[in-house]
């Protein structure tokens, strides 16, 4: 079991190194028309119980607070805009992520109309993997 844990940890470190390198490369390529979009779900706003295990906490319905961070390069400086969206009774599934992405992209277009390209990054949560079940 220890050998398997070490192999899995090594895989995690390799993935992390590759993702960091890709993120650095994306930031190097930022310009006035290109942004970097980092997206994630924050903690639930109100837990159902005082102490919940992960099984009860993650993926449950309730109020979620997605955070979207847009990094931009203006006048040679990297700036960031942070967008919070409260979602009530959100299951954090693929449908919720797609709906949220559509709303946030519309907001990006209004706030930064010069953007023509976006790099995007999220964690490895199932809702961001594009596995939309019917």
């Amino acid at each position: 079991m220890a050998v398997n844990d070490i192999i899995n940890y090594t895989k995690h470190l390799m993935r992390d190194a590759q993702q960091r390198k890709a993120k650095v490369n994306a930031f190097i390529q930022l310009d006035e028309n290109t942004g970097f979009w980092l997206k994630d779900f924050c903690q639930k706003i109100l837990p159902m119980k005082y102490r919940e295990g992960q099984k009860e906490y993650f993926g449950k319905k309730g109020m979620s607070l997605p955070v979207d961070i847009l990094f931009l390069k203006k006048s040679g400086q990297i700036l960031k805009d942070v967008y919070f969206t409260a979602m009530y009774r959100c299951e954090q599934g693929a449908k919720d992520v797609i709906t949220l992405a559509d709303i946030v992209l519309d907001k990006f277009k209004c706030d930064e109309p010069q953007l023509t390209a976006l790099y995007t990054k999220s964690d490895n949560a199932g809702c961001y993997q594009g596995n939309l079940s019917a």
Side-chain angles (χ1 to χ4, degrees):
M1 188 158 66
V3 171
N4 195 29
D5 289 344
I6 291 169
I7 290 170
N8 286 334
Y9 183 63
T10 304
K11 289 178 183 178
H12 168 75
L13 291 176
M14 290 173 65
R15 256 190 327 269
D16 183 56
Q18 290 172 340
Q19 290 175 358
R20 283 178 195 260
K21 184 178 179 182
K23 184 177 174 183
V24 168
N25 286 338
F27 269 83
I28 289 170
Q29 296 178 40
L30 289 183
D31 59 26
E32 301 284 329
N33 300 317
T34 306
F36 184 87
W37 178 13
L38 181 63
K39 52 193 175 207
D40 198 2
F41 277 92
C42 292
Q43 298 291 328
K44 304 290 188 299
I45 294 174
L46 296 173
M48 298 293 278
K49 298 187 266 183
Y50 171 65
R51 292 180 65 94
E52 294 177 301
Q54 284 187 349
K55 185 176 179 182
E56 293 86 21
Y57 185 79
F58 290 103
K60 73 178 180 188
K61 296 178 184 176
M63 187 174 287
S64 297
L65 189 63
V67 60
D68 295 277
I69 304 170
L70 176 63
F71 293 91
L72 306 162
K73 194 172 204 177
K74 289 186 179 179
S75 303
Q77 290 187 323
I78 294 180
L79 307 173
K80 72 176 175 179
D81 293 334
V82 181
Y83 299 80
F84 288 102
T85 309
M87 296 178 73
Y88 187 66
R89 296 187 185 254
C90 171
E91 296 180 22
Q92 294 185 5
K95 291 178 185 177
D96 298 318
V97 170
I98 292 167
T99 302
L100 176 65
D102 190 43
I103 293 167
V104 172
L105 281 171
D106 285 344
K107 185 65 176 153
F108 287 172
K109 289 176 189 175
C110 289
D111 293 348
E112 303 295 339
Q114 79 283 0
L115 288 180
T116 57
L118 275 176
Y119 291 99
T120 182
K121 180 177 182 339
S122 63
D123 63 8
N124 200 27
C127 61
Y128 291 119
Q129 294 177 358
N131 300 326
L132 185 59
S133 58

